Amino acid sequence: EVRTQSSNANSYFHGLAVGVQKRMSHGLQMQLAYNYSKSTDQGSGVTSGGDELPDGQRGIYYWDMHLKKQLSGFDIRNTFSSNFSYDLPFGNVGGAAGAVLGGWQVTGILTLTDGHPLSIFDVNSVQDAQIGESENLRVNLISGGDNNPVLGGPDQYYDPSQFVPSTCQGNRVCRPGDADYIPGYFGTLGGGTLTSPGLATLD
């Protein structure tokens, strides 16, 4: 077995950032920030068993890196964040009540983000025998199928019926001996087409 490693990938980023700030007045200060961006590349990290990114650079597309161009593993299309600080209006209260109620402040940080892209891979022993190792081999998208069929539920996040193994050239899961069972292809589904759930946090 011979492995080739080469720094032959590219990365592209386009983005827009907008921010608004309200300086302290009447006990309130606030900041708002919004980012709209798109990042594509041909591998976001070198996967070697401990990579934190969902899609790595290693794979079987070395001789045609254009086949690997996809949304970056860290691509998040929309991000909104806000923070605020508010001095509660009890500072002028005197006596024991002032000692208890005075000096209190409410602060918060709100963050809303879209999900990041995920890829669906085909672990296929038949393809392994033909190409040596089907690392990052993709599945086939059925004819007219949805490449991002998110259902959203925790038990079944996406619809697997939109995809078939890379050895199947039809719209169903095939078996050896079927007319549409043809091994030797990489798979037609692009990388990073499935979108993970977004996140909303309030501290």
Side-chain angles (χ1 to χ4, degrees):
E1 177 177 285
V2 176
R3 290 179 179 263
T4 302
Q5 290 185 253
S6 176
S7 56
N8 60 344
N10 300 284
S11 181
Y12 309 89
F13 177 84
H14 300 88
L16 168 70
V18 179
V20 177
Q21 181 182 39
K22 179 189 181 303
R23 298 187 184 277
M24 176 68 79
S25 64
H26 305 291
L28 175 67
Q29 65 178 0
M30 180 180 292
Q31 286 183 314
L32 305 174
Y34 170 72
N35 287 279
Y36 177 78
S37 63
K38 181 179 181 181
S39 178
T40 57
D41 57 33
Q42 291 156 329
S44 300
V46 179
T47 303
S48 59
D51 199 337
E52 299 298 327
L53 296 170
D55 293 315
Q57 292 175 347
R58 291 170 59 179
I60 58 178
Y61 302 99
Y62 175 78
W63 300 110
D64 190 352
M65 290 297 289
H66 293 293
L67 292 175
K68 280 213 67 174
K69 187 175 180 181
Q70 63 188 47
L71 292 174
S72 302
F74 49 83
D75 176 76
I76 297 177
R77 192 60 43 87
N78 294 282
T79 301
F80 172 81
S81 60
S82 171
N83 66 77
F84 68 90
S85 173
Y86 179 61
D87 294 330
L88 295 178
F90 305 128
N92 296 327
V93 178
V100 174
L101 299 177
W104 287 92
Q105 187 182 69
V106 176
T107 62
I109 301 173
L110 172 67
T111 304
L112 307 172
T113 67
D114 283 344
H116 59 78
L118 300 172
S119 296
I120 300 178
F121 297 123
D122 181 10
V123 180
N124 193 311
S125 59
V126 174
Q127 300 284 48
D128 281 344
Q130 290 207 340
I131 61 178
E133 183 178 359
S134 59
E135 189 172 14
N136 293 348
L137 182 69
R138 297 171 185 157
V139 297
N140 283 335
L141 179 66
I142 65 173
S143 178
D146 182 359
N147 66 357
N148 187 27
V150 171
L151 302 174
D155 298 323
Q156 187 172 6
Y157 181 67
Y158 69 94
D159 180 7
S161 69
Q162 302 298 301
F163 315 106
V164 294
S166 57
T167 52
C168 301
Q169 305 305 306
N171 288 338
R172 64 187 180 91
V173 176
C174 61
R175 299 286 185 267
D178 295 340
D180 57 347
Y181 181 83
I182 307 176
Y185 292 90
F186 283 158
T188 61
L189 182 69
T193 64
L194 198 68
T195 305
S196 73
L199 294 174
T201 60
L202 175 63
D203 298 322

